[in-house]
Amino acid sequence: MADNRQKLTKIALSKVQKAGLRGLSFRTLADEVGIKSSSVHYHFPEKADLAQALIEQYSAAFTSQLETISAGGGSLMRKLSRFMDVIESVASSDSVCLCGMLAAELESLSAENRYALKRFFADMEDWLAREIAAHQAELSTSLEPHQLAKVMVSGVEGALIVGRVHGSTEHLAAQRTVLANLLRFEDRT
Amino acid sequence: MADNRQKLTKIALSKVQKAGLRGLSFRTLADEVGIKSSSVHYHFPEKADLAQALIEQYSAAFTSQLETISAGGGSLMRKLSRFMDVIESVASSDSVCLCGMLAAELESLSAENRYALKRFFADMEDWLAREIAAHQAELSTSLEPHQLAKVMVSGVEGALIVGRVHGSTEHLAAQRTVLANLLRFEDRT
DNA sequence: GGATACCCCTATCTACAGATAGATGCGGGC
DNA sequence: GCCCGCATCTATCTGTAGATAGGGGTATCC
């Protein structure tokens, strides 16, 4: 099985989204894949290397989804609704956004990890701001696209984390509703 | 010194806000207070007991601040601005909200800890919703107070966590601005 | 067919975590 | 003067973490 590396990142991703990087041990991870912990070290010498791989993989997948949304066209509200769909898809099974989780563990991350994290959030914000700016004509708000984008980034990350405590997705749902209202559109599309 | 218990919770609080509960060890904590780790266990038999004490103490202090704001009167915007001041005061020195941090570590918390966490967020939401409802006449929004409150709770928790990654308070600032706009008030008071 | 890269193994190290048992010193109250 | 509770100590247990050294098998490439 040469795809153990993929199995490792797949299982690690899910685990970190639930328990955090510190909640993941090389031993448990190895057990679940069916290899030894030393073999995990072969693929990822240090834990920071594993974290880095996770962030990059996650970011790439996320960016790809955003690009698909952009390419799909439609109104801003339609795009933002799709955006919320993407966010909502991680909320199931006691998981939060990988990068939101790692952001909480910031203090124990390597410099490289931190930089990758920054980029993730900056990319999300940029995408949102770009879409908002592109549709500004449709809007009756005077707010800066980047300010709105920052609020949305904070909002969804916070909603995932806080929502999990309550075991509900109401916080994300509220985000949707208020967002739609803020931009003076009707709910959903 | 019979106030070692207070010293413990004080130092532990600050440490957990920066590094999380897992980032705090009884040994380091004991060292900083100047006692032995076994003595920490005397005050807090298990780590969950320490966490519980932290959450309760933190919640009480927070609630107290909210009550002060309510008692201070004034416009809704004034109150919400004060609310943001309170949130902002924890953002310094690489700290996030204690409960936001613990929420990320949810999986490793005791049932009692989780319940206390839920209450913290619910209390914050209730306070916000109550204030919003009380001033609804001043507002031109048709949004439910509890939905707005949920968004605010998510927003500030997320802004603290994401903002720390960037080493800035811009996310909180954006929250302030957008919030003011959402409620159709001028910025700050 | 020998070299080489790849992948996984066994075995082990070092560090540190939370937790417990039992002893010590120091009070105040009976 | 004795007992008891409080707060702390020393010493130690047990478990688990990340990490490393070095060996072996296998497939591919020259």
Side-chain angles (χ1 to χ4, degrees):
Chain A
M1 296 291 173
D3 57 348
N4 274 346
R5 194 175 211 275
Q6 283 182 25
K7 277 205 230 171
L8 283 172
T9 53
K10 184 186 168 197
I11 296 180
L13 173 64
S14 148
K15 186 86 183 185
V16 173
Q17 285 187 263
K18 291 185 180 70
L21 193 62
R22 303 180 101 123
L24 173 78
S25 85
F26 274 41
R27 278 176 177 73
T28 347
L29 178 58
D31 285 349
E32 287 191 50
V33 173
I35 59 176
K36 293 295 166 181
S37 75
S38 50
S39 304
V40 180
H41 279 284
Y42 167 77
H43 293 286
F44 308 101
E46 301 188 7
K47 216 178 183 184
D49 298 316
L50 174 56
Q52 190 66 22
L54 292 182
I55 300 172
E56 286 172 4
Q57 181 175 315
Y58 188 83
S59 296
F62 192 74
T63 298
S64 154
Q65 292 187 83
L66 296 189
E67 281 168 3
T68 301
I69 294 176
S70 288
S75 71
L76 176 60
M77 204 54 221
R78 174 189 160 89
K79 288 178 180 172
L80 293 183
S81 182
R82 292 271 160 92
F83 170 80
M84 291 303 293
D85 290 342
V86 171
I87 299 292
E88 221 160 83
S89 70
V90 310
S92 58
S93 61
D94 290 331
S95 289
V96 301
C97 169
L98 174 81
C99 294
M101 178 61 87
L102 292 178
E105 296 181 298
L106 188 70
E107 166 264 13
S108 65
L109 298 184
S110 74
E112 197 186 13
N113 291 165
R114 293 180 190 207
Y115 182 64
L117 263 196
K118 266 192 215 180
R119 265 197 331 237
F120 174 81
F121 292 121
D123 286 350
M124 195 197 311
E125 180 184 326
D126 289 345
W127 182 85
L128 285 166
R130 214 178 311 125
E131 287 294 343
I132 292 171
H135 290 78
Q136 199 131 39
E138 308 172 21
L139 303 178
S140 58
T141 178
S142 60
L143 292 163
E144 293 283 339
H146 267 282
Q147 281 198 316
L148 282 166
K150 277 194 174 63
V151 169
M152 292 182 62
V153 172
S154 306
V156 296
E157 294 294 344
L160 285 171
I161 291 173
V162 175
R164 186 173 66 146
V165 174
H166 296 278
S168 86
T169 55
E170 287 177 24
H171 286 77
L172 274 180
Q175 202 81 20
R176 257 201 156 101
T177 307
V178 173
L179 177 69
N181 191 283
L182 180 64
L183 301 180
R184 316 284 153 81
F185 279 101
E186 59 281 3
D187 202 5
R188 304 271 186 137
T189 296
Chain B
M1 296 294 170
D3 58 346
N4 272 348
R5 193 176 212 274
Q6 284 183 23
K7 277 205 231 171
L8 284 171
T9 53
K10 185 186 166 196
I11 297 181
L13 173 64
S14 147
K15 186 86 182 182
V16 173
Q17 285 188 262
K18 291 184 180 71
L21 194 62
R22 303 181 101 121
L24 174 78
S25 86
F26 274 39
R27 277 174 178 73
T28 18
L29 177 57
D31 286 349
E32 287 191 53
V33 174
I35 58 176
K36 294 293 168 182
S37 74
S38 49
S39 304
V40 180
H41 279 284
Y42 168 76
H43 293 287
F44 308 100
E46 299 188 9
K47 218 179 183 184
D49 298 315
L50 174 56
Q52 189 68 21
L54 292 183
I55 301 172
E56 285 173 5
Q57 180 174 315
Y58 188 83
S59 296
F62 192 75
T63 298
S64 154
Q65 292 187 85
L66 296 189
E67 281 169 2
T68 301
I69 294 176
S70 289
S75 71
L76 177 61
M77 203 53 220
R78 174 188 160 90
K79 289 177 181 172
L80 293 183
S81 183
R82 291 271 161 92
F83 170 80
M84 290 304 292
D85 290 343
V86 171
I87 299 293
E88 221 159 82
S89 71
V90 311
S92 59
S93 62
D94 291 331
S95 290
V96 301
C97 169
L98 174 80
C99 294
M101 179 60 86
L102 292 178
E105 295 180 298
L106 188 70
E107 166 262 16
S108 65
L109 298 183
S110 75
E112 198 186 13
N113 291 164
R114 293 180 191 208
Y115 183 64
L117 262 197
K118 267 192 214 180
R119 265 196 332 237
F120 174 81
F121 292 121
D123 285 350
M124 196 197 310
E125 179 185 325
D126 289 345
W127 182 86
L128 285 166
R130 215 178 310 128
E131 288 295 342
I132 292 171
H135 290 78
Q136 199 132 38
E138 308 173 20
L139 302 179
S140 57
T141 178
S142 60
L143 291 163
E144 292 283 340
H146 267 284
Q147 281 197 316
L148 280 165
K150 275 193 176 65
V151 169
M152 290 181 63
V153 172
S154 305
V156 296
E157 294 294 343
L160 285 171
I161 291 173
V162 175
R164 187 173 66 145
V165 174
H166 296 279
S168 87
T169 55
E170 286 176 26
H171 285 76
L172 274 180
Q175 201 81 19
R176 257 202 155 100
T177 307
V178 172
L179 178 68
N181 191 284
L182 179 64
L183 301 179
R184 317 282 155 81
F185 277 101
E186 59 281 3
D187 201 6
R188 302 272 186 136
T189 295

